[in-house]
DNA sequence: CGGCCTCGAGTTCC
DNA sequence: CTCGAGGCCG
């Protein structure tokens, strides 16, 4: 067999052979030739393609390493939205989901839908498929006539990023699918095997580079590399788990589609199983959880799907979540480590806030060194001591939290003292006090404690208050320490001249900051009031007060009794608010801000005037909406007479669910609260 | 009195 | 997002 005879035929043969070897090696994990022999084949093909550029095809194995770097990724619109999944965190929720699915199907069947679901006996019953929920990056692969034409990330579910060049470098991604229908979209999870991740990190450390925090992050980061050669250097793999858009072929069940994918060169997890009974589903979830640590890939749960694809479609979509599938999430991971020290911070209102310094430990994929201890009472209740072992978790899988001492720590005969709040404020050294009836030890130096002032400035510039872009935590601290500002009002006296030349400031950034400070003067009165940081006036109460009393002058002149007339404000809050407002320091701050033309009058709609379409309705927002920001949505709901609260209860009329809706959506389902997506909300707003 | 709500605070990733 | 404390309201 000589290349000189017929280059085209030889090239085709090499491609076929290399495709076979790639599949054996990367998908089946069972190579049948040596690496050297493989290299010889690919080099021969490269040489051939270099000599005859017209022989180079986009599905050639040599094209797995893209040639040039991109400037940024093009948007890639999904043929079918890539939805997120509802979560079940307990067996009960999983059972509830199964029962609910079957109930919905039964109801549809009873309504005599002629093409209704298959019934077995009285109730609609179906089989379920359990699949590992791999912690990686969801991707979509689009094949036209069997050739990979586009690979995309999930993005917002509607539009992702075109990362075709990078996905081509993944050996488990077939570039060509023999016997594929006209159009085929395969969905899967790109991930970095644990062993490969460990190796990669060793190499990075050896090369003096920072190691990656966890396989998930490095997989996501690798795929979003602009230069595909970097991606090619990362040993990524991919599990295929479903078929999206499809033309020229159809599947009756999830199982059938997975079998097809497996037979056509995709890597499909071999432990995916089908079950007829709920008990088997639960058992499978437990089985995965037990094996979790021993797998070569990270999983954070199990996806349970209704096997019958027609039934899946019938179950429909609520919010952004298909009802035909659910993610059974493993309980948040905990870890054991040593509580090295209990430290204290000063909160905005002067509270001493304890936090834990921990011996660094991995908790569900990230390194944790600090964790909240909440407050003094909580600290006492938890019964932890410095130098002892504690259990750490991540609340909502995000915020590190000390749960309790370990059993071992509790068994110690001689335990250290219960950590006590400091006698002096850690920020200003003033003697702390603990009011008789209070839970918190406080720093009484409200006016000039640098800790409290920092918190006050941080709060004032924050997103919910004046939202001053370019003035974050770090700069606020630098300005305070540099003596540039002493209070929030001083922010409005910063000029381009004072800023230019300061550490980190050029002419441009100085101008930008001055501009955004100027812009913040347009923020509405309720934001200003909230920004003052008066105890008891959070975002909601600020809104209520400005609505009710309309102007700063009216508020300053109001007696506690008058303030109490505001909906949501009772006698206790009214008294403390009036007291704080009458303090000299508060008055002075307000007058200075007024001097800088901040809004002191509510120009919003008078709630008594309009009766909007949402009048008297309570809504809860959860997840990320496709278009509206949370603030926009809140504003529009309120303009329509509705109220937005933070948690779902019996009083909630609607839950508006977006991307990655959390527990609130689950709660809504449980209570039977009506769930809307953004379009549904907009429709309501229009009446 | 009990349910519901708001406030205030923390932290890590990108 | 999540939690505890505690105020508000029916």
């Amino acid at each position: 067999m000589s290349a000189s005879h017929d280059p085209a035929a030889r090239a085709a043969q090499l491609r076929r052979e290399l495709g076979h070897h790639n599949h054996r090696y990367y998908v089946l994990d069972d190579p049948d030739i040596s690496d050297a022999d493989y290299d010889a084949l690919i080099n021969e093909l490269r040489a051939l393609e270099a000599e005859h550029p017209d022989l180079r095809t986009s599905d050639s194995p040599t094209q797995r390493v893209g040639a040039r770097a991109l400037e940024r990724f093009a948007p890639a619109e999904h043929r079918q939205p890539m939805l997120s999944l509802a979560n079940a965190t307990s067996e009960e929720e999983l059972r509830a989901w199964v029962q609910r699915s079957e109930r919905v199907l039964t109801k549809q069947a009873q309504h005599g839908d002629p093409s209704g679901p298959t019934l077995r006996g009285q109730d609609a019953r179906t089989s379920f498929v359990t699949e590992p929920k791999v912690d990686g990056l969801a991707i979509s692969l689009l094949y036209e006539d069997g050739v990979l034409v586009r690979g995309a990330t999930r993005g917002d579910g509607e539009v992702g990023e075109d990362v075709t060049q990078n996905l081509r470098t993944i050996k488990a991604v077939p570039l060509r699918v023999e016997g594929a229908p006209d159009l085929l979209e395969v969905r899967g999870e790109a991930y970095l095997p644990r062993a490969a991740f460990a190796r990669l990190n060793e190499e990075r450390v050896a090369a003096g580079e920072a190691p990656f925090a966890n396989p998930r992050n490095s997989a996501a980061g690798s795929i979003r590399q602009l230069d595909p050669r970097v991606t090619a250097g990362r040993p990524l793999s991919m599990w295929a788990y479903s078929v999206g858009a499809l033309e020229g072929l159809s599947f009756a069940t999830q199982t059938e589609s997975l079998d097809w994918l497996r037979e056509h060169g995709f890597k499909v997890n071999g432990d995916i199983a089908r079950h007829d009974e709920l008990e088997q589903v639960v058992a499978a979830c437990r089985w995965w959880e037990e094996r979790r640590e021993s797998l070569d890939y990270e999983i954070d749960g199990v996806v349970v799907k209704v096997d019958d694809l027609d039934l899946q479609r019938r179950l429909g979509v609520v919010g952004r979540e298909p009802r035909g599938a659910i993610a059974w999430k493993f309980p948040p991971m905990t870890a054991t480590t040593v509580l090295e020290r209990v430290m204290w911070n000063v909160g905005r209102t002067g509270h001493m806030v304890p936090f834990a310094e921990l011996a660094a430990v991995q908790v569900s994929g990230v390194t944790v060194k600090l964790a909240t201890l909440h407050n003094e009472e909580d600290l006492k209740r938890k019964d932890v001591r410095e130098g002892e072992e504690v259990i750490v978790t991540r609340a909502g899988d995000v915020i590190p939290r000390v749960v309790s001492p370990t059993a071992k720590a509790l068994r110690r005969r001689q335990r250290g003292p219960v950590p006590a709040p400091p006698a002096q404020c850690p920020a200003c050294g003033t003697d702390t006090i603990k009011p008789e009836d209070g839970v918190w030890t406080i720093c009484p130096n409200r006016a000039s404690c640098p800790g409290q002032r920092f918190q006050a400035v941080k709060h004032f510039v924050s997103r919910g208050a004046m939202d001053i872009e370019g003035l974050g935590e770090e700069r606020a601290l630098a300005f305070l320490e540099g003596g540039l500002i002493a209070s929030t009002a001083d922010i409005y006296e910063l000029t381009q001249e004072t800023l230019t030349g300061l550490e980190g400031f050029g002419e441009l950034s100085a101008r930008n900051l001055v501009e955004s400070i100027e812009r913040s003067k347009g923020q509405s009165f309720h934001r200003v009031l909230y920004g003052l940081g008066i105890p008891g006036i959070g975002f909601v109460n600020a809104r209520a007060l400005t609505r009710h009393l309309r102007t700063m002058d009216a508020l300053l002149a109001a007696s506690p009794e008058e303030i109490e007339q505001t909906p949501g404000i009772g006698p206790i809050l009214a008294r403390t608010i009036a007291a704080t407002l009458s303090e000299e320091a508060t008055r002075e701050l307000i007058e200075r801000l007024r001097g800088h033309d901040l809004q002191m009058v509510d120009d919003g709609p008078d709630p008594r005037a309009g009766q909007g379409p949402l009048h008297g309705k309570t809504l809860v927002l959860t997840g990320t909406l496709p278009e509206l920001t949370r603030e926009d949505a809140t504003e529009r709901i309120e303009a329509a007479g509705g109220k937005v609260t933070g948690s779902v209860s019996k009083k909630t009329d609607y839950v508006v669910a977006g991307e990655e809706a959390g527990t609130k959506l689950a709660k809504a389902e449980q209570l039977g609260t009506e769930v809307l997506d953004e379009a549904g909300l907009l429709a309501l707003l229009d009446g």
Side-chain angles (χ1 to χ4, degrees), chain A residues 265-286:
Chain A
F266 289 90
K267 190 172 159 184
V268 177
N269 196 293
D271 290 314
I272 292 175
R274 206 186 88 161
H275 317 276
D276 290 318
E277 301 296 331
L278 169 62
E279 291 317 311
Q280 297 174 329
V281 171
V282 173
C285 290
R286 301 262 174 243

Side-chain angles (χ1 to χ4, degrees), chain A residues 222-250:
Chain A
S222 300
I223 285 177
R224 299 199 64 265
Q225 286 293 325
L226 289 171
D227 185 347
R229 283 170 300 188
V230 177
T231 312
R234 308 272 168 83
L236 293 160
S237 189
M238 184 197 104
W239 292 118
Y241 58 67
S242 76
V243 170
L246 185 65
E247 281 169 23
L249 186 65
S250 75

Side-chain angles (χ1 to χ4, degrees), chain A residues 310-361:
Chain A
D310 189 44
L311 294 191
Q312 271 194 25
R313 271 187 291 277
R314 260 165 224 289
L315 284 163
V317 174
V318 175
R320 302 283 303 156
E321 299 172 343
R323 276 193 300 206
I326 196 166
W328 191 77
K329 292 270 244 182
F330 297 144
M333 286 245 274
T334 58
T336 298
T337 188
V338 174
L339 169 64
E340 290 183 334
R341 275 210 296 177
V342 172
M343 304 288 284
W344 299 81
N345 265 335
V346 195
R348 172 162 56 83
T349 46
H351 300 154
M352 294 297 121
V353 185
F355 64 96
E357 279 186 2
L358 304 163
V361 65

Side-chain angles (χ1 to χ4, degrees), chain A residues 196-427:
Chain A
F197 167 73
R199 234 178 7 250
L200 177 65
N201 263 356
E202 275 171 27
E203 289 167 13
R204 287 178 71 84
V205 171
E209 297 172 82
F212 286 114
N214 58 49
R216 197 206 115 76
N217 287 355
S218 58
S222 300
I223 285 177
R224 299 199 64 265
Q225 286 293 325
L226 289 171
D227 185 347
R229 283 170 300 188
V230 177
T231 312
R234 308 272 168 83
L236 293 160
S237 189
M238 184 197 104
W239 292 118
Y241 58 67
S242 76
V243 170
L246 185 65
E247 281 169 23
L249 186 65
S250 75
F251 299 110
T253 63
Q254 169 71 4
T255 315
E256 195 182 309
S257 67
L258 292 178
D259 287 342
W260 189 94
L261 288 174
R262 195 179 284 123
E263 282 157 21
H264 288 77
F266 289 90
K267 190 172 159 184
V268 177
N269 196 293
D271 290 314
I272 292 175
R274 206 186 88 161
H275 317 276
D276 290 318
E277 301 296 331
L278 169 62
E279 291 317 311
Q280 297 174 329
V281 171
V282 173
C285 290
R286 301 262 174 243
W287 182 83
W288 279 107
E289 189 170 356
E290 278 164 30
R291 297 192 350 146
R292 181 181 192 182
E293 294 299 327
S294 60
L295 300 168
D296 190 37
Y297 42 93
E298 289 201 327
I299 61 174
D300 58 359
V302 178
V303 179
V304 184
K305 294 176 180 165
V306 169
D307 192 31
D308 186 323
L309 295 175
D310 189 44
L311 294 191
Q312 271 194 25
R313 271 187 291 277
R314 260 165 224 289
L315 284 163
V317 174
V318 175
R320 302 283 303 156
E321 299 172 343
R323 276 193 300 206
I326 196 166
W328 191 77
K329 292 270 244 182
F330 297 144
M333 286 245 274
T334 58
T336 298
T337 188
V338 174
L339 169 64
E340 290 183 334
R341 275 210 296 177
V342 172
M343 304 288 284
W344 299 81
N345 265 335
V346 195
R348 172 162 56 83
T349 46
H351 300 154
M352 294 297 121
V353 185
F355 64 96
E357 279 186 2
L358 304 163
V361 65
Q362 291 288 120
V363 187
S364 52
V366 305
T367 309
V368 170
K369 290 197 277 280
L370 300 171
T372 176
L373 286 166
H374 231 119
N375 62 44
E376 215 176 308
E377 287 294 300
D378 202 30
L379 176 63
K380 246 189 257 170
R381 238 194 331 265
K382 283 193 176 129
D383 201 23
V384 294
R385 306 282 195 282
E386 289 185 345
E388 290 186 355
E389 273 186 0
V390 290
I391 295 168
V392 180
T393 185
R394 293 172 74 211
D397 244 18
V398 181
I399 298 175
R401 196 164 64 96
V402 173
V403 183
S404 64
T406 60
K408 188 175 135 201
L410 285 172
R411 274 199 307 271
R412 280 162 54 129
R413 277 220 322 273
Q414 195 114 47
R415 302 191 72 198
V418 176
Q424 277 87 35
C425 169

